[in-house]
Amino acid sequence: MADQISGENPTEKTVEKLSETPTGVNRYALQCAIVASIVSIIFGYDTGVMSGAMVFIEEELKTNDVQIEVLTGILNLCALVGSLLAGRTSDVIGRRYTIVLASVLFMLGSILMGWGPSYPVLLTGRCTAGLGIATAHRGLLASLPHLCISIGILLGYLVNYFFSKLPMHIGWRLMLGIAAVPSLVLAFGILKMPESPRWLILQGRLGEGKKVLDLVSNSPEEAKIRFQDIKIAAGIDPKCEDEVVKMENKKTHGEGVWKELILRPTPAVRRVLLTALGIHFFQHATGIEAVLLYGPKIFKRAGITAKDKLFLVTIGVGIMKTTFIFTATFLLDKVGRRKLLLTSVGGMVCALTMLGFGLTMAQNSGGKLAWALVLSIVSAYSFVAVFSIGLGPITWVYSAEVFPLKLRAQGASLGVAVNRVMNATVSMSFLSLTKAITTGGAFFMFAGVAAVAWNFFFFLMPETKGKSLEEIEALFQRDGDHKVRGENGTV
């Protein structure tokens, strides 16, 4: 019944063959991935450093809460636009030069924010940086980008602490402007990397594509299999040995895939789509961005008033996130996605409830209850820890696994869109929400959302650990699907 989702796909056979080849990490491919993962560090840094910079921006530029919300959240909306443009740009100029372009955009955005004479200039810089981040930010190794984002967030928190000791008009501008340096490093580093072999082959440059595959593959057999697979996907005769071929029709039949994914999905595809988009929705709807972006404000309402202590406590958030995201890389395949996810979200419900209670008691006492302050800090740390060991990394791993191969690219793009929108929604509404229902009330609400998420995952998300493509597809099949297919005439 799996053919109802994806049909006969040569790539699936390729995956099976690859499972029989050596699985060591190719050193050249790893070096390329590390250079490209600077993008993830930059993205994380931008999130972490904004949490501290906003404290001084409010003070110097006299901005209000709504302006701060827009400034923080606009990055993800612009990143969504950048994601939509990135695919087309990559098709035209290649993956490597697309990342160079993205690096230049982020560098310009960082310079504008570092200059920052007024709120409109800051907002323009933030938007430009968002376009750059999204254009470059694509996963390369399964866990490396997530770990690098966490490292970037921690670096941002550390910079906040040390630069907060500088004069105010210099400190926050350096916090934001210094990100231009790694952008420049990234631009030059990417130029030393090879072009994407898939893009080269799609351009008809078979000889160049094969040479790159030989470099980045673990064995000649793996390189040969991948080369054949890409040629088949590009509509090139697998037996063709020419160095260069003329590509008369470069369409990827994306319209047909979108129709199968959105307009006329099978019941199984519909379940896959619901599950994948659901996990992206709940990743941010449960409030992680509120703690990562507004940590200093949250801890201030819990009773900490000195800026250096606020930033010092916030560093703990970054340490917890980095430590537990690193731990998650070892647990995903040992424990399994479903068990780890349910444990993570269950812990989030408890931590968010305690955080809501601690903040409520702290605010009602005017920040004078030491135990309420301690409870708030411990609960915030616990929330970030259990999120980072489960829901954080599993969102990307699981949503990539469940889509059939021929629907995976489009399915992933929908997931990213939902993720960006929810990230922006929480970022652009949290301060207003705390005014409406108090800070403690906001986290009680997030706890409720997390409880809904736990039930969603429990009833709708099967375990995918150790499953083949066909087995994963079968998990989303139901006995009556053939009958429904026949009645509706869908494929």
Side-chain angles (χ1 to χ4, degrees):
M1 298 177 71
D3 61 341
Q4 290 184 45
I5 300 182
S6 62
E8 186 68 23
N9 194 321
T11 311
E12 297 178 11
K13 296 179 180 178
T14 299
V15 174
E16 292 175 1
K17 292 177 183 177
L18 286 176
S19 66
E20 300 172 1
T21 62
T23 57
V25 177
N26 178 278
R27 182 178 299 178
Y28 190 86
L30 181 60
Q31 290 173 347
C32 293
I34 290 173
V35 171
S37 287
I38 294 175
V39 177
S40 300
I41 294 177
I42 293 172
F43 180 58
Y45 175 83
D46 194 79
T47 298
V49 81
M50 182 53 71
S51 71
M54 71 172 69
V55 175
F56 301 105
I57 290 171
E58 277 185 306
E59 193 172 336
E60 182 177 340
L61 300 184
K62 309 300 179 185
T63 55
N64 56 41
D65 283 349
V66 173
Q67 288 176 312
I68 289 296
E69 287 176 330
V70 172
L71 184 64
T72 56
I74 199 69
L75 179 87
N76 277 287
L77 293 183
C78 291
L80 178 58
V81 175
S83 296
L84 297 174
L85 296 175
R88 181 65 64 182
T89 305
S90 294
D91 289 343
V92 175
I93 66 175
R95 182 74 183 122
R96 183 172 56 165
Y97 288 109
T98 297
I99 297 180
V100 172
L101 175 62
S103 302
V104 172
L105 284 172
F106 189 84
M107 184 172 62
L108 290 175
S110 298
I111 292 171
L112 284 174
M113 289 189 288
W115 175 38
S118 63
Y119 179 78
V121 173
L122 268 178
L123 197 62
T124 302
R126 187 83 167 156
C127 285
T128 306
L131 287 171
I133 286 175
T135 305
H137 193 224
R138 299 286 181 88
L140 291 169
L141 295 181
S143 298
L144 188 58
H146 308 301
L147 179 60
C148 289
I149 288 173
S150 298
I151 292 172
I153 290 173
L154 177 57
L155 287 174
Y157 291 156
L158 288 168
V159 167
N160 289 340
Y161 176 73
F162 290 108
F163 282 25
S164 67
K165 303 179 185 299
L166 297 174
M168 182 175 65
H169 68 286
I170 296 176
W172 69 265
R173 288 182 170 86
L174 278 178
M175 292 176 189
L176 297 173
I178 201 172
V181 177
S183 302
L184 191 62
V185 172
L186 176 64
F188 285 106
I190 290 295
L191 286 175
K192 294 185 178 181
M193 291 172 58
E195 183 52 85
S196 160
R198 182 176 296 274
W199 183 81
L200 290 170
I201 294 169
L202 289 174
Q203 301 302 308
R205 295 154 64 178
L206 305 188
E208 294 177 61
K210 189 176 185 304
K211 289 178 182 178
V212 175
L213 284 170
D214 289 336
L215 282 174
V216 302
S217 299
N218 293 326
S219 66
E221 293 77 15
E222 180 184 335
K224 183 177 180 180
I225 292 171
R226 294 188 184 280
F227 185 53
Q228 294 294 94
D229 176 54
I230 298 173
K231 284 197 292 184
I232 292 171
I236 301 171
D237 185 352
K239 297 179 182 179
C240 178
E241 299 294 337
D242 296 342
E243 289 286 315
V244 179
V245 298
K246 184 178 180 181
M247 302 293 290
E248 297 180 357
N249 183 7
K250 296 181 182 178
K251 292 184 179 180
T252 60
H253 307 290
E255 293 181 4
V257 174
W258 282 114
K259 182 183 292 185
E260 186 173 345
L261 186 64
I262 301 295
L263 299 179
R264 299 176 63 189
T266 63
V269 169
R270 195 178 299 117
R271 294 184 195 104
V272 168
L273 189 62
L274 174 64
T275 301
L277 298 189
I279 194 170
H280 277 287
F281 173 86
F282 284 117
Q283 186 187 45
H284 288 291
T286 46
I288 187 63
E289 212 63 25
V291 175
L292 296 180
L293 265 176
Y294 296 105
K297 286 182 172 291
I298 292 169
F299 294 131
K300 183 177 182 179
R301 293 174 186 181
I304 302 175
T305 54
K307 286 189 178 68
D308 59 338
K309 292 181 180 179
L310 281 174
F311 296 140
L312 191 60
V313 172
T314 306
I315 290 173
V317 172
I319 292 174
M320 296 299 286
K321 182 168 177 58
T322 304
T323 301
F324 281 88
I325 203 82
F326 180 74
T327 304
T329 61
F330 300 99
L331 294 178
L332 278 173
D333 290 322
K334 290 184 178 180
V335 177
R337 287 85 163 110
R338 179 179 167 84
K339 288 182 181 178
L340 199 58
L341 183 63
L342 292 175
T343 302
S344 168
V345 178
M348 288 165 57
V349 173
C350 296
L352 286 166
T353 302
M354 289 193 298
L355 181 55
F357 176 71
L359 287 169
T360 298
M361 297 304 296
Q363 286 188 280
N364 288 342
S365 68
K368 296 179 181 179
L369 289 177
W371 67 265
L373 170 60
V374 172
L375 178 62
S376 298
I377 294 173
V378 171
S379 299
Y381 285 3
S382 300
F383 169 54
V384 172
V386 292
F387 172 89
S388 300
I389 207 168
L391 183 58
I394 290 174
T395 294
W396 300 98
V397 174
Y398 196 94
S399 61
E401 288 177 337
V402 294
F403 281 109
L405 284 171
K406 74 172 184 177
L407 304 180
R408 189 162 293 174
Q410 287 78 4
S413 65
L414 284 177
V416 169
V418 171
N419 200 280
R420 296 287 190 194
V421 169
M422 288 309 303
N423 191 322
T425 300
V426 174
S427 303
M428 299 176 80
S429 63
F430 178 71
L431 296 180
S432 299
L433 185 65
T434 59
K435 281 187 175 181
I437 61 175
T438 75
T439 308
F443 283 101
F444 281 131
M445 185 196 77
F446 289 138
V449 174
V452 174
W454 191 93
N455 283 277
F456 178 89
F457 300 144
F458 182 81
F459 289 107
L460 296 179
M461 295 188 64
E463 179 59 75
T464 58
K465 172 192 169 187
K467 304 288 186 182
S468 67
L469 293 170
E470 290 81 4
E471 289 172 332
I472 291 175
E473 291 171 6
L475 290 173
F476 291 91
Q477 299 285 349
R478 299 294 183 270
D479 292 338
D481 285 356
H482 272 307
K483 182 179 179 181
V484 173
R485 182 190 182 198
E487 292 175 352
N488 295 339
T490 58
V491 178

